Amino acid sequence: MNTTNIGAALMSARHAAPNFIHTNDGTMLFYRDWGQGAPVVFVGSWSLPSDMWNYQTLALSEQGLRCISYDRRGHGRSSDPGRGYDFDTLADDLAALLEVLDLRGVTLVGHSMGCGEIVRYLTRFGSDRVARIALLGTTTPMLALAPDNPDGIDVALFEFFQTQQLMRDYPEWIEENLPPFVVPQTTPAMVNWVRQMALNTSAKALKDCNTAVVRADFRQEMKRINVPTLILHGDLDASAPLALTAEASAALVPGAVLKIYQGAPHGFFITHMDGINADLLAFAGADQRVAVE
């Protein structure tokens, strides 16, 4: 933990308006805060705002947990500053949220890119406010092919995505990649909801966040995680292959528990929501919940 990081990231973070905070660099972050009890903070996926967690936050808040989700900068209702889409700054944004809301004993839940933000938060700020973490569909520890990561993905494929798809016809890429994100039984209405969330995200945020994910190497950081860690992953995850991500992450984090969902894709927070909700409810600590009136 670096106390310099804490001071620089949080010295001017504050409430801006109902459901908004200002970060140190003036970015306005939208958050929603449902329920009472032990706090659970949800960190979203690449391209998706806090709405993606609706079926977790609604269910868990009704079971006596305080569920807080927020829009990453450039996503959803948060402002789009055109900068700060690196993991250090994004971790600082998460720290600002926890500080302004004065949350302690927090369960941090991330999906996909959001898992990297959680790991970097622990690296930069320590675990004083954090009781445990859950990583869903994680992209950690490292995606890119490298001499010491021979099972990684060729960076040229990511570059092709950015230059030939994201920067030319992102809506078409969404259409092509939604089917493996869900399951055949997913309703067209649900698929359209995901599509609209992704299409409303800042193009600058999409590109820069993708670059951050591609360049990230969390291998050494994950070895230093000192809180209980639950890793949930689908065996049909086409976006974050199981062996490269979840299994590799579980091997690095001391005491991590890995649960594999059979037949589950990257979007299993939708397709397998009942199982996800039950696992998160149990992990967040049933003994800490308060009665719901």
Side-chain angles (χ1 to χ4, degrees), residues 238-283:
S239 301
L242 175 63
L244 180 62
T245 58
E247 291 181 344
S249 295
L252 291 170
V253 178
V257 174
L258 170 62
K259 179 174 181 179
I260 299 171
Y261 280 65
Q262 300 299 315
H266 199 51
F268 68 154
F269 59 94
I270 294 170
T271 64
H272 292 65
M273 67 177 70
D274 291 340
I276 295 291
N277 293 350
D279 284 336
L280 290 179
L281 181 62
F283 183 62

Short mmCIF file of all heavy atoms in Angstrom, two decimals, residues 238-283:
data_model
loop_
_atom_site.label_atom_id
_atom_site.label_comp_id
_atom_site.label_asym_id
_atom_site.label_seq_id
_atom_site.Cartn_x
_atom_site.Cartn_y
_atom_site.Cartn_z
N ALA A 238 -15.88 -17.32 -24.22
CA ALA A 238 -15.09 -17.07 -25.43
C ALA A 238 -14.28 -15.79 -25.32
O ALA A 238 -13.28 -15.62 -26.03
CB ALA A 238 -16.01 -17.00 -26.64
N SER A 239 -14.68 -14.88 -24.45
CA SER A 239 -13.98 -13.61 -24.31
C SER A 239 -12.75 -13.72 -23.42
O SER A 239 -11.75 -13.02 -23.63
CB SER A 239 -14.93 -12.55 -23.73
OG SER A 239 -16.05 -12.35 -24.55
N ALA A 240 -12.83 -14.56 -22.40
CA ALA A 240 -11.74 -14.74 -21.44
C ALA A 240 -11.56 -16.24 -21.22
O ALA A 240 -12.13 -16.80 -20.28
CB ALA A 240 -12.06 -14.02 -20.13
N PRO A 241 -10.78 -16.90 -22.08
CA PRO A 241 -10.64 -18.36 -21.99
C PRO A 241 -10.25 -18.83 -20.59
O PRO A 241 -9.37 -18.25 -19.95
CB PRO A 241 -9.54 -18.66 -23.01
CG PRO A 241 -9.63 -17.53 -24.00
CD PRO A 241 -10.01 -16.33 -23.19
N LEU A 242 -10.92 -19.86 -20.13
CA LEU A 242 -10.81 -20.32 -18.75
C LEU A 242 -9.37 -20.56 -18.31
O LEU A 242 -8.94 -20.08 -17.25
CB LEU A 242 -11.63 -21.60 -18.59
CG LEU A 242 -11.57 -22.32 -17.25
CD1 LEU A 242 -12.12 -21.45 -16.13
CD2 LEU A 242 -12.34 -23.65 -17.33
N ALA A 243 -8.60 -21.31 -19.07
CA ALA A 243 -7.24 -21.67 -18.65
C ALA A 243 -6.34 -20.44 -18.58
O ALA A 243 -5.51 -20.32 -17.67
CB ALA A 243 -6.65 -22.70 -19.61
N LEU A 244 -6.51 -19.52 -19.53
CA LEU A 244 -5.67 -18.33 -19.59
C LEU A 244 -5.98 -17.34 -18.48
O LEU A 244 -5.09 -16.60 -18.04
CB LEU A 244 -5.85 -17.65 -20.95
CG LEU A 244 -5.05 -16.38 -21.22
CD1 LEU A 244 -3.55 -16.65 -21.19
CD2 LEU A 244 -5.47 -15.77 -22.56
N THR A 245 -7.22 -17.33 -17.99
CA THR A 245 -7.66 -16.29 -17.07
C THR A 245 -7.97 -16.84 -15.67
O THR A 245 -7.17 -16.70 -14.76
CB THR A 245 -8.88 -15.56 -17.64
OG1 THR A 245 -9.94 -16.51 -17.88
CG2 THR A 245 -8.54 -14.84 -18.94
N ALA A 246 -9.11 -17.46 -15.52
CA ALA A 246 -9.56 -17.86 -14.18
C ALA A 246 -8.63 -18.89 -13.55
O ALA A 246 -8.27 -18.78 -12.37
CB ALA A 246 -10.99 -18.41 -14.25
N GLU A 247 -8.26 -19.91 -14.31
CA GLU A 247 -7.39 -20.94 -13.74
C GLU A 247 -6.02 -20.37 -13.40
O GLU A 247 -5.45 -20.68 -12.34
CB GLU A 247 -7.28 -22.12 -14.69
CG GLU A 247 -8.57 -22.91 -14.80
CD GLU A 247 -8.48 -24.11 -15.71
OE1 GLU A 247 -7.51 -24.18 -16.51
OE2 GLU A 247 -9.39 -24.97 -15.66
N ALA A 248 -5.48 -19.53 -14.28
CA ALA A 248 -4.19 -18.90 -14.01
C ALA A 248 -4.28 -17.96 -12.82
O ALA A 248 -3.35 -17.88 -12.00
CB ALA A 248 -3.71 -18.15 -15.25
N SER A 249 -5.38 -17.22 -12.70
CA SER A 249 -5.56 -16.31 -11.57
C SER A 249 -5.65 -17.08 -10.26
O SER A 249 -5.04 -16.70 -9.25
CB SER A 249 -6.82 -15.47 -11.77
OG SER A 249 -6.70 -14.60 -12.89
N ALA A 250 -6.43 -18.17 -10.26
CA ALA A 250 -6.59 -18.96 -9.04
C ALA A 250 -5.26 -19.55 -8.58
O ALA A 250 -5.03 -19.70 -7.36
CB ALA A 250 -7.61 -20.07 -9.27
N ALA A 251 -4.39 -19.87 -9.52
CA ALA A 251 -3.09 -20.43 -9.17
C ALA A 251 -2.18 -19.39 -8.53
O ALA A 251 -1.25 -19.75 -7.80
CB ALA A 251 -2.42 -21.02 -10.41
N LEU A 252 -2.45 -18.11 -8.78
CA LEU A 252 -1.59 -17.04 -8.26
C LEU A 252 -2.06 -16.51 -6.91
O LEU A 252 -1.23 -16.13 -6.07
CB LEU A 252 -1.54 -15.89 -9.27
CG LEU A 252 -0.79 -16.16 -10.57
CD1 LEU A 252 -1.05 -15.02 -11.55
CD2 LEU A 252 0.70 -16.33 -10.33
N VAL A 253 -3.36 -16.44 -6.70
CA VAL A 253 -3.90 -15.81 -5.49
C VAL A 253 -3.89 -16.79 -4.34
O VAL A 253 -4.51 -17.86 -4.42
CB VAL A 253 -5.34 -15.29 -5.73
CG1 VAL A 253 -5.89 -14.67 -4.44
CG2 VAL A 253 -5.36 -14.28 -6.86
N PRO A 254 -3.22 -16.46 -3.24
CA PRO A 254 -3.18 -17.39 -2.10
C PRO A 254 -4.59 -17.73 -1.60
O PRO A 254 -5.38 -16.84 -1.28
CB PRO A 254 -2.40 -16.60 -1.04
CG PRO A 254 -1.56 -15.63 -1.83
CD PRO A 254 -2.42 -15.25 -3.00
N GLY A 255 -4.89 -19.02 -1.56
CA GLY A 255 -6.16 -19.48 -0.99
C GLY A 255 -7.38 -19.22 -1.84
O GLY A 255 -8.51 -19.41 -1.36
N ALA A 256 -7.22 -18.81 -3.09
CA ALA A 256 -8.37 -18.51 -3.93
C ALA A 256 -9.22 -19.75 -4.17
O ALA A 256 -8.71 -20.87 -4.29
CB ALA A 256 -7.93 -17.93 -5.26
N VAL A 257 -10.54 -19.53 -4.24
CA VAL A 257 -11.48 -20.60 -4.56
C VAL A 257 -12.02 -20.36 -5.96
O VAL A 257 -12.53 -19.28 -6.26
CB VAL A 257 -12.65 -20.64 -3.55
CG1 VAL A 257 -13.70 -21.66 -3.98
CG2 VAL A 257 -12.13 -20.95 -2.15
N LEU A 258 -11.87 -21.35 -6.83
CA LEU A 258 -12.35 -21.25 -8.21
C LEU A 258 -13.56 -22.15 -8.38
O LEU A 258 -13.51 -23.35 -8.08
CB LEU A 258 -11.24 -21.67 -9.18
CG LEU A 258 -11.66 -21.85 -10.65
CD1 LEU A 258 -12.16 -20.54 -11.24
CD2 LEU A 258 -10.48 -22.40 -11.47
N LYS A 259 -14.64 -21.56 -8.88
CA LYS A 259 -15.84 -22.33 -9.21
C LYS A 259 -16.13 -22.15 -10.69
O LYS A 259 -16.27 -21.02 -11.17
CB LYS A 259 -17.05 -21.88 -8.37
CG LYS A 259 -18.32 -22.66 -8.72
CD LYS A 259 -19.47 -22.32 -7.79
CE LYS A 259 -20.71 -23.13 -8.14
NZ LYS A 259 -21.84 -22.84 -7.23
N ILE A 260 -16.23 -23.25 -11.39
CA ILE A 260 -16.46 -23.22 -12.83
C ILE A 260 -17.93 -23.55 -13.11
O ILE A 260 -18.45 -24.56 -12.64
CB ILE A 260 -15.54 -24.23 -13.55
CG1 ILE A 260 -14.07 -23.86 -13.31
CG2 ILE A 260 -15.84 -24.26 -15.06
CD1 ILE A 260 -13.09 -24.91 -13.79
N TYR A 261 -18.57 -22.68 -13.88
CA TYR A 261 -19.96 -22.87 -14.28
C TYR A 261 -20.00 -23.61 -15.61
O TYR A 261 -19.51 -23.11 -16.62
CB TYR A 261 -20.67 -21.53 -14.41
CG TYR A 261 -21.12 -20.90 -13.13
CD1 TYR A 261 -20.20 -20.48 -12.16
CD2 TYR A 261 -22.47 -20.69 -12.87
CE1 TYR A 261 -20.61 -19.90 -10.98
CE2 TYR A 261 -22.90 -20.12 -11.69
CZ TYR A 261 -21.96 -19.72 -10.76
OH TYR A 261 -22.37 -19.14 -9.57
N GLN A 262 -20.58 -24.78 -15.61
CA GLN A 262 -20.67 -25.58 -16.82
C GLN A 262 -21.67 -24.95 -17.80
O GLN A 262 -22.77 -24.56 -17.41
CB GLN A 262 -21.09 -27.01 -16.49
CG GLN A 262 -20.12 -27.73 -15.57
CD GLN A 262 -18.74 -27.87 -16.17
OE1 GLN A 262 -18.60 -28.21 -17.35
NE2 GLN A 262 -17.71 -27.61 -15.37
N GLY A 263 -21.25 -24.84 -19.05
CA GLY A 263 -22.13 -24.30 -20.08
C GLY A 263 -22.33 -22.81 -20.02
O GLY A 263 -23.24 -22.28 -20.67
N ALA A 264 -21.48 -22.11 -19.26
CA ALA A 264 -21.67 -20.68 -19.06
C ALA A 264 -20.74 -19.85 -19.94
O ALA A 264 -19.54 -20.14 -20.04
CB ALA A 264 -21.44 -20.31 -17.60
N PRO A 265 -21.26 -18.79 -20.57
CA PRO A 265 -20.47 -17.89 -21.40
C PRO A 265 -19.95 -16.71 -20.57
O PRO A 265 -20.10 -16.67 -19.34
CB PRO A 265 -21.48 -17.43 -22.44
CG PRO A 265 -22.75 -17.34 -21.64
CD PRO A 265 -22.69 -18.46 -20.62
N HIS A 266 -19.37 -15.73 -21.25
CA HIS A 266 -18.84 -14.55 -20.56
C HIS A 266 -19.96 -13.77 -19.88
O HIS A 266 -19.77 -13.21 -18.80
CB HIS A 266 -18.11 -13.66 -21.57
CG HIS A 266 -17.17 -12.68 -20.94
ND1 HIS A 266 -16.20 -13.02 -20.02
CD2 HIS A 266 -17.04 -11.33 -21.11
CE1 HIS A 266 -15.52 -11.95 -19.65
NE2 HIS A 266 -16.01 -10.91 -20.29
N GLY A 267 -21.12 -13.75 -20.48
CA GLY A 267 -22.24 -13.01 -19.91
C GLY A 267 -23.03 -13.81 -18.90
O GLY A 267 -24.26 -13.67 -18.80
N PHE A 268 -22.37 -14.64 -18.11
CA PHE A 268 -23.10 -15.54 -17.21
C PHE A 268 -23.74 -14.82 -16.03
O PHE A 268 -24.56 -15.41 -15.33
CB PHE A 268 -22.24 -16.71 -16.76
CG PHE A 268 -21.08 -16.39 -15.84
CD1 PHE A 268 -20.59 -17.35 -14.98
CD2 PHE A 268 -20.44 -15.17 -15.86
CE1 PHE A 268 -19.52 -17.10 -14.13
CE2 PHE A 268 -19.36 -14.91 -15.03
CZ PHE A 268 -18.90 -15.86 -14.17
N PHE A 269 -23.42 -13.55 -15.82
CA PHE A 269 -24.15 -12.80 -14.80
C PHE A 269 -25.61 -12.62 -15.21
O PHE A 269 -26.47 -12.34 -14.37
CB PHE A 269 -23.49 -11.44 -14.56
CG PHE A 269 -23.39 -10.56 -15.77
CD1 PHE A 269 -24.36 -9.62 -16.04
CD2 PHE A 269 -22.31 -10.68 -16.64
CE1 PHE A 269 -24.28 -8.80 -17.16
CE2 PHE A 269 -22.21 -9.86 -17.76
CZ PHE A 269 -23.19 -8.92 -18.03
N ILE A 270 -25.90 -12.81 -16.50
CA ILE A 270 -27.27 -12.80 -17.01
C ILE A 270 -27.78 -14.22 -17.18
O ILE A 270 -28.86 -14.58 -16.69
CB ILE A 270 -27.35 -12.06 -18.37
CG1 ILE A 270 -27.03 -10.58 -18.21
CG2 ILE A 270 -28.73 -12.24 -19.01
CD1 ILE A 270 -26.86 -9.86 -19.53
N THR A 271 -27.01 -15.03 -17.88
CA THR A 271 -27.49 -16.36 -18.26
C THR A 271 -27.56 -17.33 -17.09
O THR A 271 -28.33 -18.29 -17.12
CB THR A 271 -26.59 -16.96 -19.35
OG1 THR A 271 -25.26 -17.17 -18.82
CG2 THR A 271 -26.51 -16.05 -20.56
N HIS A 272 -26.74 -17.11 -16.06
CA HIS A 272 -26.71 -17.98 -14.89
C HIS A 272 -26.90 -17.16 -13.62
O HIS A 272 -26.26 -17.39 -12.60
CB HIS A 272 -25.39 -18.75 -14.84
CG HIS A 272 -25.22 -19.76 -15.94
ND1 HIS A 272 -25.12 -19.41 -17.27
CD2 HIS A 272 -25.15 -21.12 -15.90
CE1 HIS A 272 -24.98 -20.51 -18.00
NE2 HIS A 272 -25.00 -21.55 -17.20
N MET A 273 -27.81 -16.20 -13.69
CA MET A 273 -27.93 -15.22 -12.60
C MET A 273 -28.32 -15.86 -11.27
O MET A 273 -27.86 -15.42 -10.21
CB MET A 273 -28.92 -14.12 -12.97
CG MET A 273 -30.36 -14.56 -13.10
SD MET A 273 -31.48 -13.16 -13.44
CE MET A 273 -31.04 -12.70 -15.12
N ASP A 274 -29.13 -16.91 -11.28
CA ASP A 274 -29.54 -17.51 -10.00
C ASP A 274 -28.35 -18.11 -9.27
O ASP A 274 -28.18 -17.92 -8.06
CB ASP A 274 -30.61 -18.58 -10.23
CG ASP A 274 -31.95 -17.99 -10.68
OD1 ASP A 274 -32.16 -16.78 -10.44
OD2 ASP A 274 -32.75 -18.73 -11.26
N GLY A 275 -27.50 -18.82 -9.98
CA GLY A 275 -26.32 -19.40 -9.37
C GLY A 275 -25.34 -18.34 -8.92
O GLY A 275 -24.76 -18.42 -7.82
N ILE A 276 -25.13 -17.33 -9.76
CA ILE A 276 -24.23 -16.22 -9.42
C ILE A 276 -24.72 -15.53 -8.15
O ILE A 276 -23.95 -15.27 -7.22
CB ILE A 276 -24.15 -15.21 -10.57
CG1 ILE A 276 -23.50 -15.84 -11.80
CG2 ILE A 276 -23.42 -13.95 -10.14
CD1 ILE A 276 -22.03 -16.12 -11.66
N ASN A 277 -26.01 -15.22 -8.11
CA ASN A 277 -26.56 -14.52 -6.95
C ASN A 277 -26.42 -15.34 -5.67
O ASN A 277 -26.08 -14.81 -4.60
CB ASN A 277 -28.02 -14.17 -7.19
CG ASN A 277 -28.19 -13.14 -8.30
OD1 ASN A 277 -27.22 -12.55 -8.77
ND2 ASN A 277 -29.42 -12.92 -8.72
N ALA A 278 -26.68 -16.63 -5.77
CA ALA A 278 -26.56 -17.49 -4.59
C ALA A 278 -25.11 -17.56 -4.11
O ALA A 278 -24.84 -17.48 -2.90
CB ALA A 278 -27.08 -18.89 -4.91
N ASP A 279 -24.17 -17.67 -5.04
CA ASP A 279 -22.76 -17.74 -4.65
C ASP A 279 -22.28 -16.42 -4.05
O ASP A 279 -21.53 -16.41 -3.06
CB ASP A 279 -21.90 -18.10 -5.86
CG ASP A 279 -21.99 -19.58 -6.21
OD1 ASP A 279 -22.33 -20.38 -5.32
OD2 ASP A 279 -21.73 -19.93 -7.38
N LEU A 280 -22.71 -15.31 -4.62
CA LEU A 280 -22.31 -14.01 -4.08
C LEU A 280 -22.94 -13.76 -2.71
O LEU A 280 -22.29 -13.21 -1.81
CB LEU A 280 -22.68 -12.89 -5.05
CG LEU A 280 -21.89 -12.84 -6.36
CD1 LEU A 280 -22.39 -11.69 -7.24
CD2 LEU A 280 -20.39 -12.70 -6.11
N LEU A 281 -24.18 -14.16 -2.55
CA LEU A 281 -24.85 -13.98 -1.26
C LEU A 281 -24.13 -14.77 -0.18
O LEU A 281 -23.86 -14.26 0.92
CB LEU A 281 -26.31 -14.42 -1.37
CG LEU A 281 -27.15 -14.28 -0.10
CD1 LEU A 281 -27.24 -12.83 0.34
CD2 LEU A 281 -28.54 -14.87 -0.32
N ALA A 282 -23.78 -16.01 -0.48
CA ALA A 282 -23.08 -16.83 0.51
C ALA A 282 -21.69 -16.27 0.79
O ALA A 282 -21.24 -16.23 1.94
CB ALA A 282 -22.98 -18.27 0.00
N PHE A 283 -21.01 -15.81 -0.25
CA PHE A 283 -19.64 -15.31 -0.08
C PHE A 283 -19.60 -14.00 0.68
O PHE A 283 -18.71 -13.77 1.51
CB PHE A 283 -19.01 -15.14 -1.47
CG PHE A 283 -17.56 -14.71 -1.43
CD1 PHE A 283 -16.60 -15.51 -0.85
CD2 PHE A 283 -17.17 -13.51 -2.01
CE1 PHE A 283 -15.26 -15.12 -0.83
CE2 PHE A 283 -15.84 -13.12 -2.01
CZ PHE A 283 -14.88 -13.93 -1.41
#
